[in-house]
Amino acid sequence: MTQYFPQRTALALKHVFLVALASGTVLLGASLPASAQANDPAAVTTDPAAASVSDASGPVAPAAAPETAAPQNAGDEAVTVTDSQENDAAPGTPQPEDEQKPVVSAPVMFDPEMVIDRARNLAKAPFENPHRELPDVLANLGSDDYDQIRFKSQRAFFNPDNSDFSLELFHPGNMYDVPVAINLVRDGEVQVIPFSAGLFDFGKTGLSGNDFSTQGYAGFRLRYPLSNVDSSDELTRFLGASYFRLQGEGQSIGQMARGLAIDLAGPTGEEIPVFKEFWIVEPKKGDQTITVYGLLDSARVTGAFRFDIKPGTRSQADVKANLFFRDGVEKIGIAPLNGMFLFGEQRRRSFDDYRGEVHSSDGLLINNGRGEWLWRPLDNPVHLQMSSFLDENPIGFGLLQRDRNFDHYQDLDRRFDRQPGYWVKPKGKWGKGHVELVEIPSPSETNDNIVAYWVPETKPVAGDEMTMEYSITAMRDGGGLHDLAQATDTRLMRIASQGDDDAGRARFVLNFAGGDLDYFIKDTKNLHADVSASEGRLENIRVMPDPENGGVRVFFDLVDDSDAASSNLRVFLLHKDKVLSETWTMPWVF
């Protein structure tokens, strides 16, 4: 079912809200502060006073500042030791045994259940707005200036002799106005990463002399040698609200995923959850997977997330989310994906642009619980457009970038031809619900105006708990997901009526390629397209080989002879009774 909203809706998807807690939050005791690699003479000095202590649900309280032995070599860990208590007793007076020795703070051992307990207890407490007012020099940074603030790569966390992974941090500024607490888990022990401006190169911003010690970090990035053994490519980043990105070999930064979507495009307005704290498990030598735990918070929902991230040609993140509801939610979006679609080959809106296409993904692919494969090309509509695909126990869905021809984009900066598509594969049975696609009108490529996610049929209420597991894979065009022919291109034109007796019509031109299509293509008399429309009349249906692009081209006209405002279209290819292609589907407004 597709719904259309006549009013033009303000763009709401470029929210990048961040997270609240002091930069060193640990559980149940004082932990050791973590130190970055010190591969240059200006080694980072960790400030143990930045460490903080909290219980499983209570407020954060600053820890006392102990004396700290500074790291001597790259990868050395700071050791926290407190002096023994002074005693005014006369010399020679016997002292209790525990007062004769230095008191060493007990390490906090990490347990994933701690994060779940934090989320559960947080849901029982009142919500606190995580945003803080940044200093003007940070808050007023434009995007270009903010991008000049770079983490010093020689200070990256994790010893390169032990791991191919490396960890870098993001500085607050621009729209990133909430501090994110970041902890390392080394040998099972929690270690806070205190804030240090010395980890950053401020470029030409003129900010290097400022003291931002109370601001905390904005997020983090993990690097890995994806291209070759000597490279240091971005594997993933967690930056802004609950957004994160994932890249595979040869892919450039493109669309994003989210931890959760709450009442997106709903009448009461969207609620933006944030990741407020992370625990990153330091990988051991030879590890091919890195694990990240995140604590999510919003006005009505909290969550404990686990991400097991495996780099490769198709990098993958296995996600487990334990969700806890402070209050009822009208629409909860599971495994949300964010993309951008400005215009494509169908050219349904006009832009003065030297590029032939501008989008980070060009379609939504769904493998529903009945085993059917649906391809829905994306659009930049005139009005807000929401499409729902009813389902039970979905097998997978994703926003994909199928068009990989650089000549179609001609963009050397953003390299849309290399941007990844994301494929979500549920684990276990998700029950009844629907995949929802939201397409928001956008005049600019700076807006991520496409969102897709799963909505469970049952609406959560206050006190509910929900556990969802799935994987997200960063891939190219989705090849290998199925062995059917793909719908590769969607082109169309409106044909005006030629008189009172001639209704207006739209002509659709679709390309299908791949699968077993080449095997059956010569038997054209038994090759046909199944074309259907919920409203309107179909005419001039024909199928012809396309020797230039490969595969076949399907033509049909949709005649507007209905009083309905829109029509849902479906097309797939058959050879006799054998289905050869996925099902192309699209809503059409007369």
Side-chain angles (χ1 to χ4, degrees), residues 494-505 560:
R494 289 183 183 269
I495 302 173
S497 61
Q498 302 299 311
D500 294 339
D501 297 330
D502 182 30
R505 65 182 60 206
D560 181 11

Side-chain angles (χ1 to χ4, degrees), residues 121-163:
N121 292 330
L122 195 61
K124 299 174 184 177
F127 174 68
E128 296 182 8
N129 191 324
H131 299 280
R132 72 166 50 173
E133 186 174 346
L134 293 175
D136 288 344
V137 290
L138 292 178
N140 296 332
L141 282 174
S143 297
D144 292 340
D145 287 334
Y146 177 76
D147 289 342
Q148 288 193 46
I149 304 177
R150 297 179 179 272
F151 188 90
K152 296 177 180 178
S153 59
Q154 68 271 24
R155 298 288 182 84
F157 293 80
F158 307 151
N159 190 328
D161 293 332
N162 294 331
S163 174

Side-chain angles (χ1 to χ4, degrees), residues 71 122 132 263 316 325 344 360 396 583 590:
L122 195 61
R132 72 166 50 173
D263 284 350
Q316 180 173 306
F325 293 84
S360 65
T583 299
F590 289 114

Side-chain angles (χ1 to χ4, degrees), residues 8-9 11 339-351 358-359 361-362 376-385 437-450 586-587:
R8 186 177 182 86
T9 301
L11 295 174
M340 179 276 296
F341 188 93
L342 192 63
F343 60 90
E345 71 268 0
Q346 67 265 43
R347 296 186 180 276
R348 291 180 63 180
R349 296 183 63 188
S350 297
F351 290 88
V358 176
H359 48 75
S361 48
D362 53 10
R376 164 65 154 80
L378 299 178
D379 188 20
N380 183 1
V382 175
H383 305 292
L384 175 68
Q385 185 165 276
L437 173 66
V438 180
E439 297 166 295
I440 300 178
S442 176
S444 168
E445 64 193 272
T446 60
N447 300 311
D448 289 324
N449 62 323
I450 305 295
M586 188 176 185

Side-chain angles (χ1 to χ4, degrees), residues 2-19:
T2 303
Q3 297 177 329
Y4 300 93
F5 295 82
Q7 72 275 17
R8 186 177 182 86
T9 301
L11 295 174
L13 299 180
K14 200 66 177 180
H15 299 301
V16 192
F17 297 147
L18 302 177
V19 172

Side-chain angles (χ1 to χ4, degrees), residues 51 226 396 521 530:
L226 292 167
I521 200 169
D530 185 301

Side-chain angles (χ1 to χ4, degrees), residues 188-384:
E189 181 181 323
V190 177
Q191 298 186 349
V192 177
I193 302 183
F195 182 83
S196 173
L199 297 175
F200 298 93
D201 182 342
F202 290 89
K204 298 180 181 179
T205 62
L207 299 178
S208 57
N210 289 269
D211 180 10
F212 301 122
S213 60
T214 63
Q215 299 308 309
Y217 297 107
F220 70 92
R221 160 171 47 209
L222 292 171
R223 292 187 178 275
Y224 188 86
L226 292 167
S227 302
N228 58 69
V229 70
D230 294 323
S231 66
S232 180
D233 306 301
E234 179 170 316
L235 168 64
T236 187
R237 70 168 63 179
F238 287 76
L239 180 64
S242 66
Y243 292 103
F244 61 96
R245 299 180 189 268
L246 184 67
Q247 279 82 241
E249 179 185 351
Q251 298 172 0
S252 61
I253 292 175
Q255 65 174 298
M256 298 183 290
R258 299 199 211 181
L260 205 61
I262 304 172
D263 284 350
L264 194 153
T268 60
E270 182 182 5
E271 181 178 312
I272 309 295
V274 298
F275 282 122
K276 63 190 303 176
E277 187 164 5
F278 290 101
W279 294 260
I280 304 163
V281 181
E282 184 175 46
K284 302 293 185 181
K285 191 169 186 176
D287 282 354
Q288 300 298 307
T289 300
I290 187 167
T291 300
V292 174
Y293 296 87
L295 178 65
L296 179 139
D297 194 17
S298 73
R300 288 176 289 170
V301 189
T302 69
F305 281 72
R306 172 173 174 154
F307 301 88
D308 293 310
I309 303 168
K310 185 176 183 178
T313 304
R314 290 183 169 186
S315 295
Q316 180 173 306
D318 292 316
V319 184
K320 182 177 181 180
N322 294 88
L323 305 177
F324 305 91
F325 293 84
R326 282 192 179 98
D327 204 348
V329 173
E330 182 67 21
K331 182 172 62 178
I332 193 77
I334 304 298
L337 307 176
N338 263 55
M340 179 276 296
F341 188 93
L342 192 63
F343 60 90
E345 71 268 0
Q346 67 265 43
R347 296 186 180 276
R348 291 180 63 180
R349 296 183 63 188
S350 297
F351 290 88
D352 292 328
D353 201 304
Y354 71 92
R355 299 164 295 182
E357 301 182 37
V358 176
H359 48 75
S360 65
S361 48
D362 53 10
L364 168 67
L365 182 66
I366 299 173
N367 186 198
N368 63 30
R370 299 180 299 278
E372 184 181 20
W373 290 88
L374 303 174
W375 174 254
R376 164 65 154 80
L378 299 178
D379 188 20
N380 183 1
V382 175
H383 305 292
L384 175 68

